[in-house]
């Protein structure tokens, strides 16, 4: 069972500015010490240490990094209808160029997706919930490896982290939205993502006599241009399905030599869950047929990624109430579905949940996107996120 009760009594009399300073301190520590997916060892130890200071008992995942932790309800109400709150904790394999004094100290690794902020917000929520226990138990999930495919969430869910959980909330930093505003919407909010690899082989030969061999370059070019067209005709045009090639390589050594192999890598995204679930055979068939026109056998790697996150209508309503209680009605904004993928979808495949876009732009600096080396966030958003987590955990779902 849970450890409980040795919380520092000074937390109950917290001063808001002290709370904000603490959030900022946590965030900056994690920011300066980023760790890649599945390697978040120090980050996990840091989170565990802070939770233990609150009298909580964190538990690890089999993945080896990340952790989860339960906060009991007021008066030890029975552990049913648990509310889960999730933060992702991993960083990206890219350098930072934000100019912040607390920039990454790890070469080629940075928190350019704001997961350092998410982690600090959830630690802040833990503090608020311990100081004033909620009506239902709360499960905090500090999840590793969001930036991978199909994402650390899949394994966490398979381990049973949402068993007995009634609903779940996650927030993501949104640098295109001003601090003080949160995007809330019911229905799909992110898109699916699959990775496609195509490998072709031929005997190779002289470019003067392509008819005597199999032209790998021509076949790859037809697949690059042709597959998108096939997908356009075989999926509902309203599904927001987009194929983009990121790597094309035929490894040719000379302008007059047909290379004997080549490969393509790309991503296939869709705003539609049914397309995510059903399109793989169409992709395989189209690639194989396009290559066969050139007497080339194509091997296809189809690596299925996350489905779209679909926000539950009741949870979105509760989240809007939570945001309003923290930021006022003007803080509740709308949110469009993005074509980005998010492994929070593995939770919403299992239980009702909601994913919010938290404004982190100061409205003055030049906007920088997520996954950009210059990404910065306005730290006032940290307290907003912590308090929205806290408020959501205290609301009741209509029965
Ligand atoms: Zn990201
Ligand atoms: Zn992210």
């Amino acid at each position: 069972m849970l450890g409980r009760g040795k919380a520092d009594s000074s937390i109950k009399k917290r001063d808001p500015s002290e709370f904000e300073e603490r959030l900022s301190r946590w965030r900056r520590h994690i920011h300066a010490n980023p760790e890649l997916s599945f390697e978040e060892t120090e980050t996990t130890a840091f989170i565990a240490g802070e939770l233990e200071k609150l009298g909580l008992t964190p538990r690890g995942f089999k993945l080896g990094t990340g952790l989860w932790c339960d906060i009991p309800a007021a008066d030890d109400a029975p552990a049913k209808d648990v509310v889960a709150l999730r933060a992702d904790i991993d960083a990206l394999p890219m350098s930072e160029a934000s100019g912040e004094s607390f920039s990454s100290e790890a070469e080629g690794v940075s928190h350019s997706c704001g997961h350092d902020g998410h982690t600090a917000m959830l630690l802040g929520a833990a503090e608020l919930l311990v100081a004033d226990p909620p009506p239902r138990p709360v499960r905090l999930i500090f999840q590793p490896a969001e930036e991978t495919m199909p994402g650390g969430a899949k394994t966490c869910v398979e381990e049973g982290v949402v068993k007995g959980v009634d609903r779940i909330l996650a927030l993501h930093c949104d640098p295109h939205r001003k601090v003080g505003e949160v995007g809330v919407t019911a229905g799909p909010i992110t898109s699916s993502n699959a990775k496609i690899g195509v490998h072709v082989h031929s005997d190779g030969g002289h470019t003067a006599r392509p008819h005597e061999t199999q032209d790998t370059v021509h076949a790859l070019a037809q697949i690059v241009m042709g597959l998108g067209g096939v997908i356009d005709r075989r999926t509902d045009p309203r599904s927001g399905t987009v194929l983009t090639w990121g790597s094309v390589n035929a490894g040719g050594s000379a302008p007059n030599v047909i290379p004997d192999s080549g490969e393509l890598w790309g991503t296939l995204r869709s705003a539609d869950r049914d397309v995510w679930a059903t399109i793989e055979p169409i992709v395989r068939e189209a690639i194989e047929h396009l290559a066969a026109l050139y007497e080339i056998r194509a091997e296809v790697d189809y690596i299925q990624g996350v489905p779209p996150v679909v926000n539950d209508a009741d949870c979105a309503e509760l989240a809007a109430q939570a945001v309003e209680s923290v930021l006022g009605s003007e803080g509740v904004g709308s949110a469009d579905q993005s074509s980005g993928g998010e492994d929070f979808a593995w939770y919403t495949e299992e239980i009702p949940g909601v994913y919010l876009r938290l404004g982190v732009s100061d409205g003055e600096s030049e906007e920088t996107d997520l996954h950009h080396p210059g990404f910065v966030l306005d730290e006032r958003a940290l307290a907003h996120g912590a308090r929205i987590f806290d408020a959501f955990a205290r609301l009741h779902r209509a029965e």
Side-chain angles (χ1 to χ4, degrees):
M1 277 306 288
L2 301 166
R4 188 180 180 193
K6 287 208 182 137
D8 182 345
S9 59
S10 66
I11 288 162
K12 292 194 172 118
K13 295 177 238 133
R14 69 178 169 77
D15 173 332
S17 64
E18 269 181 34
F19 179 62
E20 280 157 18
E21 272 172 28
R22 204 152 41 246
L23 288 168
S24 167
R25 202 170 64 240
W26 284 330
R27 183 249 164 170
R28 291 180 183 203
H29 173 81
I30 298 164
H31 189 92
N33 299 281
E35 292 175 300
L36 292 174
S37 307
F38 299 116
E39 296 175 12
E40 310 96 329
T41 316
E42 295 299 321
T43 308
T44 301
F46 176 77
I47 297 164
E50 293 302 324
L51 294 173
E52 281 161 4
K53 282 187 209 163
L54 294 170
L56 298 169
T57 305
R59 290 153 194 265
F61 289 113
K62 287 184 196 137
L63 285 168
T65 54
L67 55 85
W68 60 278
C69 174
D70 281 348
I71 298 177
D75 305 323
D76 280 326
K80 66 176 180 101
D81 299 338
V82 177
V83 178
L85 307 173
R86 174 273 206 170
D88 38 14
I89 67 170
D90 56 328
L92 286 159
M94 59 184 286
S95 297
E96 176 171 358
S98 68
E100 299 279 27
S101 58
F102 49 88
S103 287
S104 170
E105 291 169 14
E107 184 78 26
V109 185
S110 67
H111 269 294
S112 303
C113 203
H115 298 183
D116 52 335
H118 305 165
T119 305
M121 290 171 211
L122 193 53
L123 281 173
E127 188 178 306
L128 298 172
L129 289 161
V130 166
D132 181 10
R136 295 177 184 203
V138 175
R139 178 160 299 166
L140 310 176
I141 302 172
F142 292 90
Q143 180 219 298
E146 191 282 324
E147 300 285 3
T148 60
M149 219 162 129
K154 190 164 196 291
T155 314
C156 296
V157 169
E158 284 165 1
E159 263 187 51
V161 76
V162 292
K163 224 170 147 193
V165 171
D166 178 59
R167 60 193 153 100
I168 186 165
L169 169 69
L171 299 150
H172 203 295
C173 293
D174 182 352
H176 304 302
R177 194 181 294 270
K178 275 193 199 151
V179 70
E181 189 196 293
V182 179
V184 188
T185 193
I189 180 81
T190 64
S191 294
S192 72
N193 188 6
K195 196 156 75 176
I196 299 173
V198 181
H199 313 273
V200 295
H201 299 277
S202 87
D203 296 331
H206 201 299
T207 55
R209 290 178 286 283
H211 60 294
E212 291 181 3
T213 182
Q214 308 86 35
D215 189 341
T216 43
V217 174
H218 204 91
L220 288 175
Q222 288 294 343
I223 294 166
V224 166
M225 297 305 292
L227 181 60
V230 173
I231 290 170
D232 281 353
R233 299 298 96 187
R234 303 274 306 265
T235 56
D236 187 327
R238 296 167 297 178
S239 66
T241 303
V242 58
L243 168 74
T244 308
W245 298 107
S247 168
V248 179
N249 186 3
S253 58
N256 56 356
V257 178
I258 294 174
D260 62 4
S261 66
E263 66 175 15
L264 309 171
W265 282 99
T267 61
L268 179 60
R269 300 166 185 274
S270 180
D272 188 298
R273 193 189 177 284
D274 287 344
V275 172
W276 167 78
T278 60
I279 200 168
E280 178 178 345
I282 295 171
V283 169
R284 287 183 177 280
E285 185 190 352
I287 293 171
E288 284 159 12
H289 279 76
L290 287 164
L293 295 171
Y294 301 89
E295 297 183 297
I296 285 178
R297 196 172 62 80
E299 290 161 27
V300 181
D301 285 320
Y302 191 97
I303 300 157
Q304 180 66 297
V306 292
V309 171
V310 181
N311 282 343
D312 173 76
D314 289 345
C315 288
E317 176 57 39
L318 285 184
Q321 288 175 39
V323 172
E324 188 172 347
S325 73
V326 175
L327 296 169
S329 57
E330 65 278 15
V332 183
S334 58
D336 292 331
Q337 184 174 14
S338 101
S339 55
E342 162 62 68
D343 77 351
F344 186 67
W346 296 117
Y347 302 101
T348 56
E349 286 280 297
E350 295 290 317
I351 56 168
V354 58
Y355 179 83
L356 306 179
R357 299 199 187 284
L358 178 75
V360 299
S361 162
D362 65 9
E364 291 162 14
S365 316
E366 198 182 327
E367 267 185 21
T368 49
D369 205 357
L370 300 168
H371 292 214
H372 185 281
F375 169 70
V376 289
L377 66 82
D378 183 328
E379 289 187 335
R380 286 176 294 175
L382 300 177
H384 298 165
R387 293 196 167 107
I388 291 164
F389 272 137
D390 173 65
F392 182 81
R394 296 177 195 282
L395 292 166
H396 291 258
R397 210 147 72 96
E399 314 248 330

